[in-house]
Amino acid sequence: MKFATKALHVGQDPDPATGATVPPIHVTTTYTQSAPAEHKGYEYSRSGNPTRDNFEAVLAALEGGPACAAFASGLAATNTLFNTLRPGDHVVAYADVYGGTFRLLDQVMKPWGLDASFTEDTSPDAFDRIMTEKTKIVWLETPTNPLLRCLDIKAIADVAHARGAKLAVDNTFATPALQQPIALGADYVVHSTTKYIGGHSDVIGGALIVADEADMEAVRYHQNAAGGVPGPFDSYLAHRGVKTLHIRMERHVQNAQRIAQHFEKHAKVASLYYPGLKSHPDHALAERQMVGPGGMVTMVIKGNADDCFKFCKRTKLFSLAESLGGVESLLCHPARMTHASIPAEVREARGITDSLVRLSVGIEDADDLIADIEYALNG
Ligand code: P1T
């Protein structure tokens, strides 16, 4: 089955009891047993729920992995992966990650005993240089949040494997519609399903997909033992989003490409980052590794921080809001919003300055979105 067919048919068997074409949302917390420990495969909804199972099945199928575990948020999924490691283990990561992922590693996992090192260099060799014999996981996002650098999944998977480590790719920005990390050698794929997977800015969720079924045992154990699971309504909404993912991503990419081209050389824009532009340092890699360069555009507004704040307050269609990946366009000021938990000097050294804005380009009409940005820039 091809991607679009899987998106609509995996985890969507008609309900055997009623024939309901869309499976019901199983709100139950518990399952009646015919005798102690005799049941139909479900005991309690933290350990298993059919609505969650359906969502996990479709996402595993779309990422090309044997199994997926769904969580209450993207960070709960990330946290679970790190919790399958032991104190004393080591993680290496590319520095440009979601601020919450950095905070989790730096403020939560470090005191717990998991060490983390970050590289500012996208090359596979740079990961090799900071790995030690204790490194268990190499972590990367691609495209990265918010600077939209792309990293070579296949080459970095080879580096990780040569050193006995596993590669985890946060595929939130690309989605499986545009990028397939497992086919490129990744061992784990992580999602904030809050974003493009849910797609409508109305459900928080996360997911962890494995390439090797054996790796799911520890993940499932932790999912149940620590309990960061999504409820049935959230699982249903995220699953409903999946059904249109491929169509939405096409339009996100079309709109983002148009906006990037329109504003790349604009008089009020100092620089613009979009992997679909020839000027982007990772353009060739993005063309090779992705089906399309995604729906996110990051730009630096000319002038000082106040000019940038003014821009942020003037857009009408782009809502100034955290998050991304919904059908409606959003605008974010990472330094003050999503990446505020990163110390200012670290952030600025990485280019996340007070003049940087991140656009989550929605599926509205591109002409209207361009007019909205023009209006805000010319304030
Ligand atoms: O918010 P949550 O569902 O817990 O997902 C965390 C997360 C993980 N990975 C990436 C790449 C992310 O972008 C996020 C969340 N990001 C935002 C809220 C944001 O505006 O960037």
Side-chain angles (χ1 to χ4, degrees), residues 22-47:
V22 174
I25 303 172
H26 288 270
V27 295
T28 193
T29 56
T30 194
Y31 304 83
T32 301
Q33 309 195 359
S34 49
E38 264 179 38
H39 51 75
K40 298 181 162 68
Y42 295 98
E43 297 163 276
Y44 184 59
S45 276
R46 169 161 40 72
S47 50

Side-chain angles (χ1 to χ4, degrees), residues 189-345:
V189 174
V190 177
H191 276 284
S192 168
T193 59
T194 314
K195 312 298 183 314
Y196 290 105
I197 300 286
H200 296 73
S201 306
D202 55 6
V203 58
I204 298 275
L208 176 53
I209 299 102
V210 294
D212 179 352
E213 190 136 30
D215 287 331
M216 190 39 88
E217 196 183 324
V219 172
R220 278 269 180 250
Y221 182 82
H222 196 279
Q223 184 192 34
N224 179 47
V229 294
F233 290 102
D234 288 1
S235 300
Y236 166 76
L237 273 178
H239 192 159
R240 190 163 74 154
V242 165
K243 295 181 190 176
T244 54
L245 177 67
H246 51 296
I247 304 286
R248 284 186 282 110
M249 291 317 291
E250 268 178 36
R251 179 60 84 91
H252 283 298
V253 168
Q254 274 170 23
N255 283 359
Q257 184 80 40
R258 271 203 60 200
I259 286 176
Q261 280 167 354
H262 185 95
F263 292 101
E264 184 185 12
K265 302 228 163 73
H266 194 280
K268 300 274 173 76
V269 174
S271 39
L272 187 146
Y273 313 125
Y274 182 64
L277 293 179
K278 289 206 169 64
S279 59
H280 190 281
D282 309 315
H283 178 64
L285 170 64
E287 282 208 315
R288 199 168 72 233
Q289 181 167 276
M290 302 176 76
V291 175
M296 302 297 294
V297 175
T298 294
M299 48 187 198
V300 179
I301 307 292
K302 261 193 197 155
N304 56 26
D306 282 345
D307 295 312
C308 186
F309 296 155
K310 211 149 81 185
F311 170 78
C312 291
K313 290 195 276 193
R314 271 175 67 88
T315 55
K316 299 231 162 21
L317 295 176
F318 280 85
S319 295
L320 180 60
E322 303 217 0
S323 204
L324 59 112
V327 286
E328 61 289 290
S329 292
L330 300 180
L331 162 67
C332 166
H333 186 275
R336 292 285 167 104
M337 295 165 69
T338 49
H339 291 65
S341 59
I342 301 176
E345 61 287 359

Side-chain angles (χ1 to χ4, degrees), residues 4 14 21-22 37-38 70 76 89 102 134 176 238 256 309 312 349 356 370 375:
T21 306
V22 174
E38 264 179 38
D89 287 345
F102 176 81
K134 298 202 164 143
F309 296 155
C312 291
L356 186 100
I370 288 171
Y375 170 81

Side-chain angles (χ1 to χ4, degrees), residues 132-153:
T132 71
E133 69 284 358
K134 298 202 164 143
T135 307
K136 292 291 191 305
I137 285 181
V138 175
W139 173 277
L140 59 88
E141 292 174 11
T142 179
T144 65
N145 184 2
L147 295 170
L148 305 180
R149 290 301 305 264
C150 298
L151 287 93
D152 190 331
I153 296 173

